[in-house]
Amino acid sequence: MPEPLRLGIAGLGTVGAALVGVLQRKHDFLAQRCGRPIVIAGVSARDRTRDRGLDLSGVEWFDDPVALAQSAGIDVFVELIGGDEGPAADAIRAALRSGKHVVTANKALLARHGVELARKAEDKGLLLNFEAAVAGGVPVIKAMRETLTANTIQRVYGILNGTCNYILSEMEATGADYADVLADAQRLGYAEADPTFDVEGFDTAHKLAILTSIAFGCRISVDDIYVEGISNIASADIQAAAELGYRIKLLGVAQRTDTGIEQRVHPTLVPLEAPIAQIHGVTNAVAIDADIVGRLVMSGPGAGGEATASAVAGDIADIAKSRPGHQQAPALGTPARNLTPYKQARMRAHAGGYFIRLSVNDRAGAFASIASRMAQEGISLKSIVQHGTSAAKEDAGQAVILVTHTTTESAIRAALKNIDVDGHLVSRPQMIRIES
Ligand code: HSE
């Protein structure tokens, strides 16, 4: 009988509980596929008394996740606690120090400490697997760090936050405002009571930081990401975008440019016919532009207990299948010591098309003056449309919608500043980038 792979699971929330269920339900199936059984040897969670509907008889309980991580009774430490510091970080470091493989779904921790942890794991010949950290059940990490190794990736981008995609999809489907849709999403459990982390783009930024490192073979640099969330998107933007043949999505985008790597998270207009525009509700999607394979788009459930447990269980199964002395792929696709320093491209140099929605005082010359301020910055307009009435509920101005040809962020910002100085605007201009 082959030796079982013994797991220590820390964190028995939605994902942890789902993982225990999957491992128990599919015990024989996994043993057959991996060539050895996978057993839960120890667990740790905050509250021992809580009824999680799980049968944990015969499983050792640890109040302290660090003690579990160091226990001689486990081979793999599975971290499902969350948080970029504190118990999760302490326990993962302890696990690697004591020679245990690590599986985690913790994007915040990886975005901050991924390179350090990858290096520690590689130095000891251990595996650090984190498929569930980005896009939940969508196997994008494995695809990028293993299958696409021979490709030079030019751009990776995606819908990485289900909460934001749900809110934007509902705003489009119902015509409702952001605040109303957010309140509904909170009632339905799709958004947290404090939704800041999701709706302001930080969750997407953590996931993007990990993808960027794997895609470009560079160190992780989450603090260099330009981040804008969706709380500023009005139903007027969604309607105007639709009239022009676009849909608004919160994208995380990382791309190579002449001046470095551009990493940005912001609401984005994508053409209605683009594959990424077809992703509705809580679903996630990742698109990769690579030189050999061309364009790949992967989509699926980005959150939820079962979908995330599928990715975690896959990571565990990879360890069960691995043979001692046969190192698998490095955590970040490139050995941590070979990762290049991160070279940041300036956001001001970002080149692309822009959607601008202005609310303008209805007087002679306003339209001409706006067009002239754009021309002054060398910005070529693709379209300029004046609606008969304001498309914004909050003010009495006339809506003017502009779409530009490719220009730069600095040119757009200069033009909008000048338009504002000219005194034609009733309210703050809206500016949304267009992704080709
Ligand atoms: N809160 C995330 C989302 C899921 O809304 O997609 C976990 O990363």
Side-chain angles (χ1 to χ4, degrees), residues 1-88:
M1 178 71 176
E3 285 291 302
L5 184 78
R6 301 163 306 164
L7 309 180
I9 301 175
L12 292 174
T14 308
V15 178
L19 177 68
V20 171
V22 167
L23 294 172
Q24 290 178 338
R25 193 166 82 231
K26 307 206 79 168
H27 176 272
D28 295 349
F29 178 87
L30 280 165
Q32 206 265 339
R33 289 204 142 183
C34 298
R36 61 197 286 207
I38 296 172
V39 299
I40 304 170
V43 292
S44 175
R46 258 200 307 242
D47 181 1
R48 187 173 187 164
T49 58
R50 200 172 127 207
D51 180 11
R52 300 175 173 87
L54 300 173
D55 177 7
L56 291 170
S57 47
V59 177
E60 193 176 354
W61 181 275
F62 291 76
D63 287 324
D64 177 9
V66 173
L68 172 60
Q70 293 170 326
S71 159
I74 69 162
D75 306 302
V76 180
F77 179 65
V78 182
E79 186 274 308
L80 301 171
I81 304 169
D84 60 352
E85 302 292 346

Side-chain angles (χ1 to χ4, degrees), residues 159-233:
I159 295 170
L160 301 173
N161 185 272
T163 305
C164 289
N165 205 51
Y166 173 82
I167 292 172
L168 293 171
S169 301
E170 283 297 296
M171 285 176 73
E172 183 183 345
T174 63
D177 282 326
Y178 169 80
D180 295 335
V181 175
L182 172 61
D184 277 347
Q186 285 170 317
R187 264 195 298 280
L188 291 166
Y190 291 148
E192 306 276 348
D194 177 0
T196 312
F197 204 70
D198 289 315
V199 300
E200 297 306 343
F202 304 121
D203 175 73
T204 300
H206 285 150
K207 295 167 180 168
L208 181 67
I210 298 166
L211 289 182
T212 303
S213 172
I214 301 174
F216 304 129
C218 60
R219 292 190 196 128
I220 300 175
S221 190
V222 69
D223 292 330
D224 289 319
I225 301 181
Y226 174 85
V227 184
E228 254 178 54
I230 62 164
S231 56
N232 193 30
I233 297 296

Side-chain angles (χ1 to χ4, degrees), residues 204-436:
T204 300
H206 285 150
K207 295 167 180 168
L208 181 67
I210 298 166
L211 289 182
T212 303
S213 172
I214 301 174
F216 304 129
C218 60
R219 292 190 196 128
I220 300 175
S221 190
V222 69
D223 292 330
D224 289 319
I225 301 181
Y226 174 85
V227 184
E228 254 178 54
I230 62 164
S231 56
N232 193 30
I233 297 296
S235 56
D237 297 318
I238 291 179
Q239 278 165 29
E243 283 168 25
L244 292 162
Y246 294 97
R247 186 164 277 146
I248 299 179
K249 296 290 182 191
L250 183 80
L251 295 189
V253 185
Q255 70 187 101
R256 289 179 198 272
T257 74
D258 293 342
T259 58
I261 295 169
E262 199 172 276
Q263 286 190 97
R264 47 194 167 84
V265 173
H266 51 72
T268 310
L269 263 69
V270 292
L272 279 172
E273 65 278 9
I276 207 108
Q278 319 313 320
I279 307 300
H280 302 292
V282 293
T283 306
N284 281 195
V286 179
I288 299 163
D289 293 342
D291 64 342
I292 307 176
V293 71
R295 174 162 301 166
L296 289 176
V297 183
M298 286 184 265
S299 66
E306 289 284 307
T308 311
S310 159
V312 176
D315 279 350
I316 295 167
D318 275 352
I319 298 172
K321 291 173 186 171
S322 70
R323 284 174 296 148
H326 290 73
Q327 178 81 16
Q328 284 182 324
L332 293 164
T334 301
R337 67 181 174 283
N338 289 354
L339 293 168
T340 56
Y342 177 78
K343 183 162 184 272
Q344 183 189 11
R346 296 259 158 252
M347 194 59 198
R348 289 174 62 79
H350 167 70
Y354 287 79
F355 162 100
I356 311 287
R357 179 173 58 81
L358 304 174
S359 184
V360 176
N361 282 311
D362 191 11
R363 58 177 179 237
F367 205 83
S369 152
I370 291 165
S372 124
R373 285 301 198 179
M374 289 283 176
Q376 214 173 38
E377 298 301 328
I379 299 168
S380 167
L381 296 177
K382 194 168 169 187
S383 79
I384 175 163
V385 181
Q386 180 161 14
H387 282 247
T389 54
S390 173
K393 291 178 186 161
E394 68 273 15
D395 64 51
Q398 298 283 307
V400 176
I401 313 288
L402 300 100
V403 174
T404 77
H405 284 293
T406 296
T407 179
T408 63
E409 182 94 3
S410 58
I412 276 289
R413 288 192 181 275
L416 289 178
K417 196 167 160 213
N418 287 333
I419 289 167
D420 194 23
V421 167
D422 290 341
H424 297 298
L425 302 184
V426 174
S427 58
R428 221 182 119 259
Q430 175 66 295
M431 179 265 269
I432 308 178
R433 297 165 193 88
I434 300 173
E435 195 71 21
S436 57

Side-chain angles (χ1 to χ4, degrees), residues 113-128:
H113 306 296
V115 175
E116 170 221 316
L117 298 175
R119 180 132 204 185
K120 286 194 162 104
E122 286 160 32
D123 285 350
K124 290 204 149 206
L126 298 167
L127 295 170
L128 170 65

